Amino acid sequence: VKKVTRFQKRCGGNFLSYLFVLTILATILIPSYNLFFKSLVLICLFPILVGLSYEILFITAKYDWLDFISKKAMLIQHITTKEPSDKKIEVAIYALFSCLNLDKDISIYDYIKKVKEKYENVDYNDIKKVIAYVLKKDLNDILINSKEYMLNYNTQIKLNTIIKKMYKEDYPVEYLLNRSYFYKEEYFVNENVLIPRNDTEILVDKAIEYISKYNLKNMLDMCSGSGCFGISVSKNSDIEKVTLVDVSKEAINISKKNAKINNVETKINYINSNLFEKVSKENKFDIIVSNPPYIKTNKLKDLDKSVKYEPKIALDGGVDGLDFYRLIAKEG
């Protein structure tokens, strides 16, 4: 599609050019100086001028030897048209195919096979998550009935768009769906916060163990990000109050949303602060937990491609990766 020029002999711009020229000629040829009379005659002639313009458009497009006319008219297309983006071309192709393939439904099972043939390193679980999200169905339902559920063409278009971004641009599926699962909970995520990692669930277990063992009541989660750590601890332990602290206002807003999603908003406090800067010294915490940035600065460029979409501020731990550990130990 991109090889085809945007300049076309049968463009509507050409039609308007012919109509404009014919209208001027008709105005000149009407034998009267009376403006009202000329206008009245032009209105009566207008359907004829429109018809003639179309015939000229049709004939000049059909015969190459009339290019000296059509190419002059095509100059207007430098103003009225511009090269389409890849996304606009893609939409146009899908629109055309939808007219030709409306009855070509396929099962989820067959659709996943097609995706596997098109892309390398396909993660079946991620594909099924996307399908469950688009169909608004439970993931387990998709897993059980993958051969029975049929996908119509419009649904396939939605899936193709998401999956292409996943595998062509290495865009994280969690950001595409604004959804991530951590510990036993579901979380909203976008590019303002890190995607929760399963490894961090070990810290949740350890925090819950300490809370239970020592009957702790007040916890601080420093560098809280999406709030997944503090919220999961809040939901799965007897802790009475959890304070989430993060330097990013966007992250704080997301953690508020996640607290509401998981029905623990009454147990959570929020502080938008650069570490302990705005945390009052009068606040006393029984336990401080943190999963701060820990990647060495010179190692950021070596991370997986999908990580480039995550906020650098939540990854960069300084020259040796321990900057935040030292600051938290010192200030806390």
Side-chain angles (χ1 to χ4, degrees), residues 86-87 90 119 160-173 176 191 304-309:
D86 287 354
K87 288 185 178 179
E90 191 174 7
Y119 301 104
N160 289 345
T161 303
I162 294 173
I163 290 167
K164 179 183 176 183
K165 195 160 187 176
M166 283 169 57
Y167 291 109
K168 286 287 187 181
E169 302 176 27
D170 294 302
Y171 197 79
V173 64
L176 283 166
E191 290 187 11
D304 188 77
K305 290 180 181 178
S306 63
V307 179
K308 69 183 180 182
Y309 295 102

Side-chain angles (χ1 to χ4, degrees), residues 66-178:
L66 290 173
D67 280 359
F68 72 97
I69 296 175
S70 60
K71 288 194 174 178
K72 294 287 191 302
M74 285 165 63
L75 292 173
I76 195 173
Q77 292 177 44
H78 285 280
I79 301 171
T80 59
T81 69
K82 65 178 181 178
E83 294 294 341
S85 66
D86 287 354
K87 288 185 178 179
K88 287 183 179 179
I89 292 173
E90 191 174 7
V91 168
I93 292 171
Y94 278 136
L96 175 61
F97 283 173
S98 68
C99 297
L100 306 174
N101 298 286
L102 285 175
D103 59 341
K104 292 191 176 180
D105 295 357
I106 63 173
S107 69
I108 290 174
Y109 178 82
D110 290 331
Y111 178 80
I112 293 174
K113 284 174 64 179
K114 283 178 64 177
V115 172
K116 185 182 178 183
E117 291 169 3
K118 190 172 183 179
Y119 301 104
E120 296 179 0
N121 303 319
V122 170
D123 187 317
Y124 285 105
N125 289 327
D126 283 348
I127 300 300
K128 288 169 183 174
K129 284 179 188 176
V130 171
I131 293 172
Y133 172 79
V134 170
L135 294 181
K136 295 181 171 58
K137 291 185 178 294
D138 184 75
L139 181 58
N140 291 326
D141 194 15
I142 298 296
L143 296 173
I144 295 169
N145 300 296
S146 63
K147 290 187 177 180
E148 286 73 35
Y149 279 138
M150 303 300 289
L151 303 173
N152 62 37
Y153 188 70
N154 288 335
T155 302
Q156 292 174 51
I157 290 173
K158 291 178 185 177
L159 291 170
N160 289 345
T161 303
I162 294 173
I163 290 167
K164 179 183 176 183
K165 195 160 187 176
M166 283 169 57
Y167 291 109
K168 286 287 187 181
E169 302 176 27
D170 294 302
Y171 197 79
V173 64
E174 291 85 357
Y175 286 160
L176 283 166
L177 308 183
N178 294 130

